[in-house]
C-alpha cells in the first residue's frame, strides 16, 4: 500500500540505464506531471547490496522518498547499486566504497541534468546512511557544473568499524538472547585490525568487519565526510532520527554539527520519534521494527520537498 503522501496520479515513471559498459545498472525516474522544469534529485542507498528502492524486508524507503517527492514537484532518479546488480562486484577483493557509489552517482546526476523535467542547475544528491556519508565525495566528483545541494539522511561520521562495535554492543543489551558476548569480541578484534598498521590490501576479508575487502576498509578508515562537506559551498540538509541506534545523534550528528557550525546554508534537523529508516515509533529501536510494514515519516518528506523547492543551489 503506498504511503499517504504518494499521489500516483501526479507523476509518471520510466526506466533508465545508469552507467555504461558491463557494469551499467537499471534505474527508475519519477517525473511530476504537467509542470515547468524543476528540481531533480538522485537517491543513494545505504551500505550493502541494495536495490533501487532500498528494500528492507517489507519496506522500501527510497521508493517512499521518490513517490513522495515526485508527488510534490521533484523529479527523482533511483537505481540499483552495482553490488546488487552484480554480485561478483560485491565479492571482489579490491572493492572500495568509492567504486561502489561514485561512478554511477555521477552518471545519474548527468542523466537528470539532461532530463526534460529538470532544471539542470537544480540537481541535488540525497543519500541515506552510507549513501549520505559518500554524498559529499559525489559532489566533489561531479565537479563542474556543481551539484546544487546535498540531502544527508542518517549519514554516519563515526569510523564505521568503531560504529560496528557500538551497534553490536547496543544490540546485546536489547536482544541479549540473540547477541552473545563472543559476537562483540569478534567485532572488537576486527575493528582493532582495521585500526592497526597491520591492515594491508592483502588482509583477508574474512578477518575484517562485515567481510568487506581490505581495500574497502583502507579507504573508509581514512574517509572523513565532514571534512569533505566543509570544503563545499553548496546548501545541505542533514536529517537524523532521534531513535536511530545505527547512526546516532551523539556519535554521528555531533560531528556534522561541529564541523559545519556557523554555515547558514546548512540546515540540520532531528526527528525524535524516527529510527534509522526514518520510520516513526516509540521506545528503544531494534531490528524487529524493520520487519513491520511502514513508511518514511510524512514530516521528513514534507521538509525535504520544501527544502528542494526553495533551495537555489
Amino acid at each position: 500500500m503506498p504511503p499517504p503522501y504518494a499521489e500516483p496520479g501526479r507523476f509518471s515513471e520510466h526506466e533508465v540505464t545508469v552507467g555504461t559498459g558491463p557494469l551499467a545498472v537499471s534505474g527508475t525516474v519519477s517525473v511530476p506531471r504537467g509542470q515547468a522544469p524543476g528540481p531533480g534529485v538522485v537517491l543513494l542507498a545505504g551500505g550493502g547490496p541494495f536495490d533501487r528502492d532500498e528494500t528492507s524486508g517489507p519496506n522500501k524507503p527510497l521508493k517512499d522518498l521518490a513517490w513522495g517527492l515526485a508527488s510534490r514537484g521533484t523529479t527523482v532518479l533511483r537505481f540499483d547499486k552495482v553490488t546488487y546488480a552484480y554480485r561478483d562486484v560485491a565479492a571482489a577483493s579490491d572493492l572500495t566504497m568509492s567504486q561502489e557509489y561514485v561512478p554511477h552517482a555521477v552518471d545519474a546526476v548527468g542523466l537528470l541534468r539532461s532530463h526534460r523535467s529538470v532544471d539542470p542547475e537544480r540537481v541535488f544528491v540525497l543519500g541515506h546512511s552510507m549513501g549520505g556519508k559518500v554524498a559529499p565525495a559525489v559532489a566533489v566528483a561531479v565537479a563542474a557544473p556543481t551539484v546544487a545541494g546535498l540531502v544527508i539522511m542518517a549519514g554516519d561520521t563515526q569510523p564505521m568499524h568503531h560504529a560496528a562495535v557500538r551497534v553490536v554492543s547496543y544490540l546485546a543489551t536489547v536482544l541479549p538472547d540473540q547477541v552473545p558476548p563472543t559476537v562483540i569480541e569478534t567485532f572488537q578484534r576486527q575493528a582493532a585490525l582495521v585500526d592497526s598498521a597491520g591492515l594491508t590490501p592483502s588482509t583477508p576479508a574474512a578477518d575484517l568487519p562485515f567481510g568487506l575487502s581490505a581495500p574497502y576498509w583502507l579507504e573508509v578508515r581514512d574517509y572523513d565526510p565532514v571534512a569533505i562537506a566543509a570544503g563545499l559551498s553548496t546548501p545541505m540538509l542533514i536529517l537524523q532520527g532521534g531513535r536511530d541506534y545505527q547512526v546516532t545523534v551523539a556519535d554521528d550528528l555531533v560531528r556534522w554539527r561541529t564541523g559545519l557550525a556557523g554555515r547558514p546554508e546548512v540546515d540540520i534537523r532531528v526527528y525524535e520519534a524516527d529510527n534509522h529508516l526514518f520510520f516513526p515509533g516509540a521506545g528503544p529501536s531494534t531490528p524487529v521494527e524493520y520487519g513491520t510494514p511502514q513508511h518514511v515519516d510524512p514530516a521528513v518528506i514534507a521538509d525535504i520537498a520544501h527544502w528542494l523547492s526553495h533551495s537555489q543551489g
Side-chain angles (χ1 to χ4, degrees):
M1 192 172 173
Y5 42 76
E7 301 177 49
R10 300 193 66 177
F11 64 92
S12 62
E13 291 193 312
H14 63 266
E15 297 293 289
V16 293
T17 298
V18 179
T20 57
L23 295 183
V25 300
S26 298
T28 301
V29 183
S30 306
V31 185
R33 295 185 187 276
Q35 67 172 42
V41 63
V42 171
L43 304 186
L44 303 179
F50 278 112
D51 65 9
R52 72 195 71 183
D53 297 333
E54 200 179 45
T55 301
S56 303
N59 299 301
K60 297 179 179 293
L62 290 196
K63 185 176 183 180
D64 286 352
L65 284 163
W67 283 28
L69 296 176
S71 298
R72 285 153 181 76
T74 295
T75 300
V76 184
L77 171 54
R78 65 194 195 274
F79 56 92
D80 296 335
K81 287 181 66 175
V82 68
T83 44
Y84 172 84
Y86 305 99
R87 295 309 168 100
D88 56 328
V89 173
S93 61
D94 58 351
L95 179 68
T96 66
M97 180 180 69
S98 293
Q99 292 168 353
E100 186 179 17
Y101 280 95
V102 176
H104 291 87
V106 170
D107 193 79
V109 169
L111 280 174
L112 275 192
R113 277 215 175 96
S114 62
H115 198 280
R116 56 180 171 74
S117 68
V118 175
D119 176 348
E121 301 301 316
R122 298 179 64 201
V123 175
F124 299 81
V125 173
L126 182 160
H128 174 242
S129 197
M130 182 178 278
K133 176 167 69 175
V134 80
V138 171
V140 171
V142 169
T146 58
V147 167
L150 301 177
V151 181
I152 297 172
M153 301 179 66
D156 48 309
T157 62
Q158 183 182 28
M160 192 166 74
H161 49 304
H162 297 169
V165 174
R166 171 180 56 76
V167 168
V168 75
S169 299
Y170 166 82
L171 293 176
T173 66
V174 295
L175 302 169
D177 296 339
Q178 299 179 35
V179 185
T182 52
V183 173
I184 300 174
E185 292 163 7
T186 296
F187 273 96
Q188 288 173 332
R189 183 177 66 254
Q190 292 171 336
L193 177 55
V194 172
D195 277 329
S196 76
L199 180 65
T200 70
S202 60
T203 300
D207 295 342
L208 298 167
F210 310 118
L212 292 171
S213 73
Y216 205 104
W217 283 108
L218 286 165
E219 180 189 33
V220 169
R221 183 177 70 176
D222 298 325
Y223 177 78
D224 186 345
V226 178
I228 298 172
L232 300 171
S233 58
T234 52
M236 291 176 233
L237 176 62
I238 300 175
L239 309 181
Q240 174 67 45
R243 295 174 55 251
D244 188 345
Y245 67 85
Q246 294 173 250
V247 176
T248 72
V249 171
D251 299 288
D252 297 281
L253 188 66
V254 64
R255 290 173 166 88
W256 292 116
R257 281 178 164 156
T258 301
L260 300 173
R263 299 279 292 270
E265 75 279 15
V266 177
D267 188 347
I268 298 178
R269 305 184 190 187
V270 177
Y271 301 83
E272 294 295 349
D274 291 359
N275 63 17
H276 186 60
L277 299 181
F278 290 86
F279 298 158
S285 180
T286 73
V288 174
E289 289 182 71
Y290 304 157
T292 303
Q294 297 174 80
H295 292 294
V296 171
D297 189 340
V300 171
I301 300 292
D303 285 352
I304 295 172
H306 183 269
W307 186 85
L308 291 170
S309 66
H310 289 79
S311 180
Q312 297 302 313

